[in-house]
Amino acid sequence: MLPLLQLVPAKLLNSSCSLKKTLQCSCSFHGIPTPSVQWWMGGVPVGVDGMDGSLQVTSTVLGPWANSTISLTEEPEMGMRLLCEGKNQNRTHALSILLMSRKSSLASQAFVKGLIQGAIYAGVVIALLFLCLLPLIVKHIRKKQAKKAAAIRAKNSSKVRASQELEMSLKPEEPGKPIVTTFSESHILEKQDKRAS
């Protein structure tokens, strides 16, 4: 009597992808009976052991193991799905791979470029605003300086006036000319008159 083979459902044992000059993805399945392997790209089946321009599929079967490799020579479209499916009469097992183009970095480059442009435009706007406000700022500063200068002049002119009045009171009397004195000076003069008498 012949021994009965035990049926084993198809199972994905190993998968890998590498990118060098081309993108290569591999899937390894195990099962009894030996699983058949089918690649799907964007929902469309890819021919086994064939070349389709930008795709090349190679498959090998060894006992209950089935290995298949797909090579993509062209860059995939953004968000393209690659599916590796292994199946036998007991089960179908699959691996889905989301492919991203190297060109997808262009989106981030565009974002960074837009961010830099935005920063430059903001800098230009701030510089223009500053240049528009500069005359007002200068006018405000000059007005403050003018007020300080006027206050200093007023303070100095009151000191000058007081010293001029003091000089006039100390001058000898000219006959027939009235003497102008301030309250404190007249008070001093009265005291001097009282001592003299």
Side-chain angles (χ1 to χ4, degrees):
M1 236 170 118
L2 291 172
L4 287 173
L5 288 176
Q6 185 178 0
L7 297 179
V8 178
K11 182 176 181 184
L12 177 68
L13 294 179
N14 190 20
S15 65
S16 66
C17 283
S18 65
L19 177 65
K20 292 180 184 167
K21 287 185 178 180
T22 62
L23 175 68
Q24 272 194 334
C25 292
S26 297
C27 289
S28 296
F29 290 91
H30 177 267
I32 299 173
T34 306
S36 63
V37 180
Q38 176 69 58
W39 287 95
W40 299 73
M41 185 154 182
V44 177
V46 177
V48 178
D49 291 328
M51 292 182 65
D52 179 25
S54 63
L55 298 171
Q56 179 181 1
V57 177
T58 54
S59 296
T60 55
V61 175
L62 184 59
W65 291 274
N67 301 312
S68 186
T69 302
I70 188 168
S71 300
L72 285 79
T73 56
E74 292 180 4
E75 294 231 1
E77 291 179 26
M78 181 79 159
M80 178 70 77
R81 283 208 182 275
L82 186 61
L83 184 79
C84 178
E85 179 184 77
K87 68 179 173 180
N88 64 13
Q89 61 198 43
N90 297 315
R91 179 165 83 177
T92 300
H93 200 180
L95 169 72
S96 180
I97 303 164
L98 179 62
L99 301 177
M100 302 298 286
S101 171
R102 287 185 209 161
K103 295 175 186 172
S104 66
S105 64
L106 292 178
S108 61
Q109 288 175 355
F111 173 75
V112 170
K113 185 179 177 184
L115 190 65
I116 291 170
Q117 281 180 340
I120 290 170
Y121 292 151
V124 168
V125 167
I126 289 170
L128 289 174
L129 183 63
F130 177 75
L131 289 175
C132 290
L133 292 176
L134 188 62
L136 294 174
I137 294 169
V138 169
K139 184 178 178 180
H140 179 70
I141 291 171
R142 285 184 179 168
K143 193 182 262 188
K144 275 189 168 184
Q145 287 176 341
K147 282 183 182 179
K148 279 184 181 178
I152 291 171
R153 272 190 246 119
K155 188 176 181 182
N156 287 343
S157 67
S158 66
K159 286 181 182 177
V160 168
R161 204 175 315 123
S163 66
Q164 285 174 348
E165 289 174 357
L166 183 62
E167 280 179 27
M168 289 180 71
S169 65
L170 296 175
K171 280 186 183 177
E173 287 184 33
E174 291 180 26
K177 193 167 186 182
I179 298 175
V180 179
T181 59
T182 61
F183 173 72
S184 60
E185 292 171 3
S186 64
H187 188 62
I188 293 171
L189 290 175
E190 284 176 16
K191 283 185 181 179
Q192 286 176 350
D193 288 341
K194 285 180 187 177
R195 284 186 200 154
S197 5

